[in-house]
Amino acid sequence: MAHSEDVDHTAHGQSMGLLRVLGPAHVWALGVGIVLVGEYMGWNFAVGKGGAYAALIACWFAGILYSCVAMIDSEVTSTVAAAGGQYTQAKHIIGPLMAFNVGLYLVFAYTMLEAGNAITLGFLVDTVAGMTGHEGGLDQRPFIVLAIMFLAWLNYRGVLATLTFNLVITAFAFTAIIVIFLATSPLLGAGEMLHKDLMSGQASLPYGWLGILAAMHFGLWYYLGIEGTTQAAEEVRSPARSLPFGTLAGIMTLLIAATLTWYVCSGLLPWEYLGDGVNGAVAPLFSAAQISGSSALVWLLGIGTLFATLASANGCINDASRAWFSMGRDHYLPAWFGAVHPVYRTPYRAIIFLVPIALIFALGAPLDQVITFSILSGLLGYTFMPINMIMFRKKWPLDTIKRGYEHPLHPLPAISLILLCSVTYFAVFLGYGTQLIAMIGFYIVVSLWFHFWRYRFVKRADQFTMPWPRPRGY
């Protein structure tokens, strides 16, 4: 009995599947909704690492990295259309050990991002209270708890309502970025941009070329989470069409939003203040709106920051729970987590289980540490993607199975991705070497736990569920 679990699949809801109710707009809203908060907070730590120009260069190189991620994801997931995204890709292409690790990276990347969103929301509520005359500051913790609990409840009740909500508030937050750009840039005659004054001399690259490298660490925050579009693959009506469209439209949206955000913030805020995301610009677009002198922009960007944090946390709960649910369904974790709600058709136990983990980090960890935990978890996942892609094309060439999308210039995107990931590891090590080593140690320990204990519950013959020619080893 040591090699089996006493599990009743029907009792745990595993005989019931997730609902296919999402379209390409929902996929776009999921990917952009998770990421857009990176324009509203967090990316500006890159300015502190290397200056404003370094943050711009990091923005564009990180954009190349995530464009490779989006193209690879679009091809593989439009073919492997199941919940779990990169976890499911790794399970079918490589095997259980890699799949378990990738699944764990996904869960922690999204859960830590959710915690960072909640911290920012608490700060925003406190700041707005101060602006309206409340003295002494508010206790941010009740608002952090309330936000996470409300969004968990929304995810519990159904994916269509969850991502429709994301679609509306994400569109508003993106529109707010466009508005502040038009209102403050010389395009409409405002002429308030001060790039020449704020970025001249030592302020341009205060730490030289090493600062550009270091800025890559937080440059990822502009786009971290776009790969989350793949987590909803099992709930999309037409994965072959909707997933590539939503994902690639999402990365294009984010490239525009990231560049406009840098332009506005670096043109209105001193780089020292912009780069201090703890005592300076915690929410840089909101701070830029305050500097502009327009009360309308202040309220617009305040609401935009609120909506961006809610949309991101909402999408993170969706994606982290799908990865955790998928691992439970495949027995990588206790099968109890692989349950689907009999009425709402959501992975409700996975949603509930991850709530206290997000709360612990949101209430007890500094923002930069939480962001770094999320970035490193995501980065580890991206490191395995080139291997998955190369093996995918090798095992199933283009003429053997039908794909919803074929990314161009293979294997150049995979090679570019692994090189940019390597550079980013070094960038993280420059400022957060201890955390980098500790996190890798944590993942090694958990991987050993899976190999020596949990693996016995995995039925490898049941892992391959795609209607493709069966590869060797399955």
Side-chain angles (χ1 to χ4, degrees):
M1 296 299 293
H3 292 268
S4 64
E5 286 187 299
D6 184 14
V7 175
D8 182 346
H9 287 196
T10 303
H12 288 299
Q14 291 182 333
S15 61
M16 191 174 296
L18 301 173
L19 285 174
R20 288 194 178 275
V21 292
L22 304 179
H26 295 102
V27 176
W28 176 89
L30 178 60
V32 176
I34 289 176
V35 185
L36 199 63
V37 72
E39 274 62 48
Y40 280 88
M41 67 90 169
W43 69 269
N44 51 309
F45 285 109
V47 179
K49 287 288 185 181
Y53 280 129
L56 178 62
I57 296 170
C59 167
W60 287 341
F61 273 98
I64 296 172
L65 186 156
Y66 278 94
S67 295
C68 295
V69 168
M71 288 191 294
I72 291 172
D73 265 344
S74 292
E75 173 167 337
V76 182
T77 310
S78 65
T79 312
V80 188
Q86 293 80 11
Y87 154 77
T88 306
Q89 297 172 22
K91 183 183 75 171
H92 283 88
I93 298 169
I94 306 296
L97 183 59
M98 178 181 280
F100 173 78
N101 281 280
V102 170
L104 206 61
Y105 303 151
L106 289 168
V107 170
F108 277 104
Y110 294 128
T111 303
M112 294 305 104
L113 176 50
E114 177 192 345
N117 293 324
I119 293 170
T120 304
L121 185 143
F123 161 80
L124 182 65
V125 172
D126 188 21
T127 301
V128 171
M131 291 169 57
T132 55
H134 188 281
E135 298 181 0
L138 286 177
D139 185 351
Q140 300 178 18
R141 291 173 296 181
F143 298 98
I144 291 172
V145 173
L146 181 63
I148 290 177
M149 295 298 291
F150 166 73
L151 294 174
W153 171 82
L154 189 63
N155 276 268
Y156 184 98
R157 290 296 300 266
V159 69
L160 183 60
T162 296
L163 295 189
T164 301
F165 175 69
N166 252 39
L167 177 61
V168 173
I169 62 178
T170 298
F172 183 96
F174 177 69
T175 302
I177 295 176
I178 301 293
V179 170
I180 192 173
F181 167 72
L182 293 174
T184 58
S185 72
L187 282 178
L188 296 181
E192 296 179 12
M193 295 291 103
L194 302 173
H195 295 95
K196 184 176 180 180
D197 297 330
L198 296 176
M199 297 167 55
S200 60
Q202 183 70 13
S204 58
L205 287 172
Y207 308 117
W209 291 99
L210 188 63
I212 295 176
L213 180 61
M216 272 297 289
H217 174 182
F218 291 104
L220 265 63
W221 201 245
Y222 280 113
Y223 314 98
L224 181 72
I226 184 61
E227 70 280 2
T229 56
T230 64
Q231 298 300 313
E234 201 168 315
E235 296 158 282
V236 174
R237 289 191 297 269
S238 177
R241 178 179 66 91
S242 298
L243 286 169
F245 182 88
T247 302
L248 296 173
I251 190 63
M252 294 176 195
T253 302
L254 293 168
L255 286 165
I256 294 170
T259 303
L260 295 184
T261 295
W262 177 90
Y263 179 84
V264 169
C265 294
S266 62
L268 292 174
L269 301 169
W271 77 273
E272 299 92 342
Y273 178 79
L274 183 59
D276 185 355
V278 178
N279 300 309
V282 175
L285 280 168
F286 182 61
S287 296
Q290 290 176 292
I291 291 291
S292 73
S294 168
S295 59
L297 283 180
V298 170
W299 281 106
L300 178 67
L301 272 298
I303 297 171
T305 304
L306 175 65
F307 281 4
T309 56
L310 288 174
S312 182
N314 194 34
C316 286
I317 294 171
N318 180 91
D319 286 355
S321 63
R322 266 61 181 177
W324 198 260
F325 156 80
S326 297
M327 289 196 288
R329 186 171 59 178
D330 295 332
H331 297 269
Y332 288 52
L333 295 171
W336 186 84
F337 292 115
V340 175
H341 195 283
V343 176
Y344 303 125
R345 304 283 288 275
T346 55
Y348 67 109
R349 288 177 181 159
I351 292 170
I352 294 169
F353 178 79
L354 294 172
V355 166
I357 298 175
L359 286 173
I360 288 170
F361 282 89
L363 295 172
L367 181 60
D368 62 331
Q369 298 274 346
V370 171
I371 289 175
T372 299
F373 197 163
S374 182
I375 287 173
L376 284 173
S377 298
L379 192 61
L380 285 164
Y382 308 148
T383 305
F384 286 110
M385 286 184 66
I387 302 171
N388 281 341
M389 187 65 242
I390 291 169
M391 293 297 293
F392 182 59
R393 283 286 183 99
K394 184 178 180 180
K395 289 184 175 182
W396 296 282
L398 292 178
D399 58 348
T400 58
I401 59 174
K402 185 178 180 180
R403 290 161 163 81
Y405 169 81
E406 297 173 8
H407 81 277
L409 304 176
H410 178 75
L412 184 58
I415 294 170
S416 301
L417 179 55
I418 195 67
L419 290 175
L420 288 167
C421 285
S422 300
V423 170
T424 309
Y425 280 118
F426 183 66
V428 175
F429 181 77
L430 290 176
Y432 292 79
T434 302
Q435 189 172 352
L436 173 62
I437 294 170
M439 277 190 57
I440 291 177
F442 163 74
Y443 282 122
I444 289 173
V445 169
V446 179
S447 182
L448 291 172
W449 168 83
F450 176 79
H451 178 74
F452 288 108
W453 172 254
R454 191 68 210 175
Y455 193 91
R456 71 187 68 187
F457 300 117
V458 176
K459 297 178 181 178
R460 184 167 172 79
D462 295 339
Q463 298 300 298
F464 191 77
T465 58
M466 291 294 108
W468 307 336
R470 207 169 183 84
R472 184 177 302 174
Y474 283 90

